[in-house]
Amino acid sequence: MVLGHDIPKPRLTLVGWALSIAFLGIPVAMIGNLIDFGLQLALGWCIGVWCLFKS
């Protein structure tokens, strides 16, 4: 309570969610895909998302 007013608790806004996805989610997904692709090239294991679409 500040000067008799209730202040709402901090919360993550839509912009906060978007920035979290942009700065955390996308790089983690890209690094994971690069690791999967590197293992596929090095060991011949197909473990990435693109294996679902491979004929």
Side-chain angles (χ1 to χ4, degrees), residues 6 15-16 19 23 39:
D6 285 333
V15 172
L19 289 173
F23 288 109
L39 284 174

Side-chain angles (χ1 to χ4, degrees), residues 7-53:
I7 297 175
K9 294 184 180 198
R11 61 184 174 87
L12 198 55
T13 62
L14 185 61
V15 172
W17 281 108
L19 289 173
S20 296
I21 290 170
F23 288 109
L24 297 174
I26 293 172
V28 167
M30 288 176 61
I31 291 169
N33 282 328
L34 286 174
I35 291 170
D36 291 341
F37 186 67
L39 284 174
Q40 182 180 356
L41 288 177
L43 304 174
W45 301 344
C46 190
I47 57 175
V49 174
W50 49 83
C51 296
L52 297 172
F53 307 106

